[in-house]
Amino acid sequence: MHDRYGLESQKFRHICQIGSSVSELYGCQEISTPILEFLNVFDRTLGEESDIVNKELYSFKDRNDSMLVMRPEGTAGICRAVISNGLAHSTSQKLYYYGPMFRHERPQKGRLRQFEQFGTEYFGFGHPSSDIEVIEMGWRFLSKLGLDKNVEIHINSLGDVASRIKYREVLTSYLRENVEKLSSDSVRRLENNPLRVLDSKDPGDIEVVNSSPQILNYLNEESNKRFEFICSGLKQLNIPFKLNPQLVRGLDYYDHTVWEFKCSNEKLGTSQGTILAGGRYDNLVEKMGGPKNVPGIGWAAGIERLSLLLEDSLLEQEKRPIAIVLARSEAGDSSVAPQATVSELAYYAHHVAGLLRGRGEKVLLIHPNSDILQPVSKALTKALKSNARQVVFIGEHEFQNNQVTVRNTDLREQQTCTLEEYISRTSTDS
């Protein structure tokens, strides 16, 4: 957990703006859910054997003895909101969100205990054509950020329930034959959810998993046909991907298609880090107490990781501000102005700033430190530190004549004109 400001805040805002604009191209609407949820929203959806539930939840009892949790991910909370607000009974929903999540895990580069995600969720779309669209949306999102060059999409199918039951029997038999090579966590998972072993990061487990039976060989005809449709569709769109039979994702609610966008970049601190991931969850709404037959699919991206990869040059350059300063002319006889005069200059400066801001200009009003007005040269030096493209000087002469003196800091040109002329010209230049 850390503070965010300056360039990092600019990157976060840029990522969320790009994500929002891309999502809206697909008909998505923004949704926001509370950071605090009841514990059962997550412990009955993420899976008892998931690392999130076992090790990473920030949970506590409130004064009413209700178990609350700081949300560790977005999908379950969005699903709860869809059910609570009756959206699952109406037309299909396309939603996007962004905000902080919390997991008590080991901090890494781009992965903190409080982290931000941008995500999308579809509800009511069951045809595999929607899988293609959601994956393509993620690809477009990263492309708009300029992050698609070193990205490889890993994709797999977990099949339907019947396919997973068949595969689970085969996998369990194989893992039991190699149980002495498994970590203690995987031995425990072997009894309750052996597919969780495939998601282990333990080196010994990975070695066993690499030689394990592949789930794609145990899909029934319907599941296999569905997955082939999706892969063919991605090829038609020229979206590169790689089949990864060991990919299962870390949460229990997924079925059929799962995918991860992996990036090779030393900034992530690993040879290949996941920056966006998602999958299908056709039974989640019903599992959480909602209506039956409301399929779902979605993805989420870690904003911290995207921010590490985002090149500064790709950020939209912010318009430089206009600085307004109160100053006396170099030829002035006295540096002390009556209180009323300084007040009137300040009010006039606020009036000028308000007119400019009303036209969408970024304005930095440099407030006086005292009743002593600075000379123009000192006021200019102070204003230039703000990277202003223009400096507007306001003194007694400008105030009395309803004028402003404006300096173009790039051309180093300065002129005095009426306030009306200046505002009109500024509006035209904008």
Side-chain angles (χ1 to χ4, degrees), residues 168-392:
R168 176 172 174 156
E169 293 175 353
V170 175
L171 178 64
T172 299
S173 177
Y174 167 80
L175 293 176
R176 283 176 175 164
E177 292 174 1
N178 294 274
V179 68
E180 70 282 353
K181 302 177 183 178
L182 297 177
S183 66
S184 58
D185 280 346
S186 289
V187 171
R188 188 188 71 253
R189 289 167 177 164
L190 177 58
E191 300 303 320
N192 298 315
N193 191 346
L195 267 69
R196 249 333 33 83
V197 177
L198 302 181
D199 196 47
S200 174
K201 304 301 186 292
D202 180 88
D205 293 344
I206 292 174
E207 184 177 349
V208 173
V209 166
N210 285 339
S211 300
S212 67
Q214 298 184 359
I215 192 171
L216 294 179
N217 295 327
Y218 296 89
L219 299 181
N220 58 26
E221 183 178 356
E222 182 179 350
S223 296
N224 190 60
K225 182 178 178 181
R226 178 187 184 91
F227 190 53
E228 287 181 350
F229 178 92
I230 295 167
C231 293
S232 296
L234 294 176
K235 291 177 182 177
Q236 291 288 326
L237 294 175
N238 295 315
I239 297 177
F241 66 91
K242 173 184 177 180
L243 294 180
N244 183 348
Q246 270 75 47
L247 178 62
V248 295
R249 304 286 292 122
L251 307 175
D252 279 2
Y253 52 63
Y254 287 115
D255 54 23
H256 287 297
T257 324
V258 290
W259 65 88
E260 292 183 352
F261 287 56
K262 293 181 175 291
C263 179
S264 300
N265 193 300
E266 60 184 9
K267 293 180 181 179
L268 297 178
T270 59
S271 58
Q272 197 172 53
T274 300
I275 58 175
L276 184 153
R280 177 165 284 281
Y281 44 88
D282 286 348
N283 299 305
L284 183 58
V285 172
E286 181 182 355
K287 188 175 183 179
M288 294 186 67
K292 296 181 179 181
N293 302 319
V294 181
I297 186 172
W299 54 258
I303 300 179
E304 282 86 358
R305 289 196 159 195
L306 298 181
S307 178
L308 284 174
L309 299 172
L310 188 64
E311 296 292 339
D312 297 353
S313 59
L314 295 178
L315 293 176
E316 183 178 341
Q317 295 300 312
E318 294 186 350
K319 194 173 184 179
R320 292 162 62 198
I322 297 173
I324 299 178
V325 295
L326 277 61
R328 65 177 174 85
S329 67
E330 300 288 2
D333 295 331
S334 173
S335 63
V336 181
Q339 178 67 39
T341 302
V342 174
S343 298
E344 287 173 339
L345 295 183
Y347 298 154
Y348 184 56
H350 279 287
H351 174 61
V352 175
L355 292 175
L356 290 170
R357 289 172 180 143
R359 285 158 176 76
E361 292 288 349
K362 181 179 180 180
V363 180
L364 299 179
L365 178 53
I366 300 178
H367 303 282
N369 293 326
S370 67
D371 294 340
I372 301 176
L373 296 178
Q374 292 182 330
V376 169
S377 59
K378 288 188 176 181
L380 177 60
T381 300
K382 190 173 184 180
L384 290 176
K385 293 179 180 179
S386 67
N387 193 34
R389 73 180 195 276
Q390 293 179 1
V391 180
V392 177

Side-chain angles (χ1 to χ4, degrees), residues 108-124:
Q108 305 172 42
K109 276 191 175 181
R111 181 176 292 177
L112 306 174
R113 289 177 177 177
Q114 176 179 325
F115 59 98
E116 305 261 349
Q117 283 188 340
F118 183 96
T120 63
E121 311 290 352
Y122 279 26
F123 294 94

